[in-house]
Amino acid sequence: MTKAITITGYGPPSVLRVADVEIGPPAARQIQVAVKFAGVGPTDLAIRAGHLDAVYPVRPGGILGFEAAGIVDAVGDQVEDLAAGDEVAVFLPGSLGGYAERVNADFWVRKPANVPWTSAAALPASGEAAIRVLKLLGLTQGETLLVLGGNGSVGAIATQLAIARGAKVISVVRPSDFAEVAGRGAVPIDYHRPLSDAVPSPVDAVLDASGRSDLRAAVALAGGPNRVITLSDPRAGQVGVTLSSPVAAGIPAALREAMDRVAAGTLSLAEPTITPLDQAADVHTRLENGTLRGKVLLRL
């Protein structure tokens, strides 16, 4: 049996419970990983509350968690590039399951020796999302990208990647984050202010990494919804905005790019908050009420 955090049904953080579950062997093209750290992201909160049921349905007894890092326990019959004992980070967009001592994964990337375990665990979901959305937006040199939730894990990565492409980034954040955001090369904007007043001019594209922003104002600033993408706002369809989810074909390349950049020192990750697995419900509560911010990892 494997210790995990399961969901008893959609609702507040109290629906998350510690339980012993059975994790079967990996399928032919999967690996099984003994998890060291599992990431907690804003999409986890939206899924738990039932806001994304149409995209990420999770039934009672299910396990949340899009990303983790650990040591390979076993590999499926058709996996040839890994063996038990290898160190990896895994991305779990289909089955989820990261909040557990063991998980079977369809997508993975090797952890380079110079990348800490905490960075490896914090990278897969955020790195894949940032790379995917920038590709979808077709952002090019000289364009302006508006990032809503710019100092979150996705927003921080997207900002660095966009600036590396020669784009200008306007980042909507708390005033307390201004110095950190400016240090990445972005122009910080106070999220308390209406977007229509705060953003100095029209923008070419918008990445909503917060899920709680004014999408209508973002669409107006971008001159229409075609280059506005949100990662977790269920209101997207009301204004014609794309709610983007991972696409299997692009995941392996995105994971490799993100990990290679971290290993090479061209992509930096903020230091995460680390808590024990059995405090997952408390982590969700604190993230929702704003008393805990930044990337959070559950320690196994």
Side-chain angles (χ1 to χ4, degrees), residues 128-201:
E128 186 279 334
I131 290 168
R132 165 175 30 101
V133 173
L134 290 184
K135 183 176 180 180
L136 290 172
L137 291 173
L139 192 69
T140 59
Q141 183 176 358
E143 290 192 314
T144 297
L145 173 69
L146 174 64
V147 181
L148 309 176
N151 205 36
S153 53
V154 176
I157 292 174
T159 295
Q160 294 174 72
L161 297 178
I163 289 175
R165 294 186 183 190
K168 176 183 177 181
V169 176
I170 300 174
S171 184
V172 180
V173 296
R174 298 169 183 257
S176 58
D177 293 334
F178 276 18
E180 187 174 353
V181 167
R184 297 191 190 102
V187 177
I189 296 293
D190 186 349
Y191 86 107
H192 292 100
R193 297 177 59 192
L195 284 178
S196 56
D197 296 335
V199 179
S201 61

Side-chain angles (χ1 to χ4, degrees), residues 88-109:
V88 296
V90 298
F91 184 42
L92 311 158
S95 58
L96 306 182
Y99 295 12
E101 291 177 332
R102 278 176 174 72
V103 65
N104 292 330
D106 296 292
F107 302 102
W108 58 84
V109 62

Side-chain angles (χ1 to χ4, degrees), residues 23-247:
I23 303 293
R29 297 181 179 178
Q30 290 183 323
I31 62 172
Q32 185 170 102
V33 175
V35 177
K36 285 184 171 290
F37 295 97
V40 179
T43 305
D44 295 349
L45 279 60
I47 292 173
R48 188 215 70 235
H51 298 324
L52 297 177
D53 183 57
V55 183
Y56 297 110
V58 179
R59 299 300 172 243
I63 303 170
L64 299 180
F66 279 93
E67 60 192 352
I71 298 174
V72 176
D73 255 357
V75 302
D77 294 341
Q78 296 182 32
V79 176
E80 299 179 348
D81 61 336
L82 286 178
D86 287 342
E87 300 179 348
V88 296
V90 298
F91 184 42
L92 311 158
S95 58
L96 306 182
Y99 295 12
E101 291 177 332
R102 278 176 174 72
V103 65
N104 292 330
D106 296 292
F107 302 102
W108 58 84
V109 62
R110 288 182 179 273
K111 185 189 82 66
N114 69 328
V115 174
W117 280 111
T118 51
S119 296
L123 181 66
S126 302
E128 186 279 334
I131 290 168
R132 165 175 30 101
V133 173
L134 290 184
K135 183 176 180 180
L136 290 172
L137 291 173
L139 192 69
T140 59
Q141 183 176 358
E143 290 192 314
T144 297
L145 173 69
L146 174 64
V147 181
L148 309 176
N151 205 36
S153 53
V154 176
I157 292 174
T159 295
Q160 294 174 72
L161 297 178
I163 289 175
R165 294 186 183 190
K168 176 183 177 181
V169 176
I170 300 174
S171 184
V172 180
V173 296
R174 298 169 183 257
S176 58
D177 293 334
F178 276 18
E180 187 174 353
V181 167
R184 297 191 190 102
V187 177
I189 296 293
D190 186 349
Y191 86 107
H192 292 100
R193 297 177 59 192
L195 284 178
S196 56
D197 296 335
V199 179
S201 61
V203 300
D204 298 292
V206 180
L207 162 57
D208 171 32
S210 77
R212 300 184 300 275
S213 297
D214 187 345
L215 289 182
R216 292 188 186 277
V219 168
L221 286 166
N226 290 343
R227 297 184 76 190
V228 180
I229 293 178
T230 182
L231 293 173
S232 61
D233 196 325
R235 302 167 297 175
Q238 299 173 18
V239 290
V241 168
T242 298
L243 175 60
S244 180
S245 300
V247 178

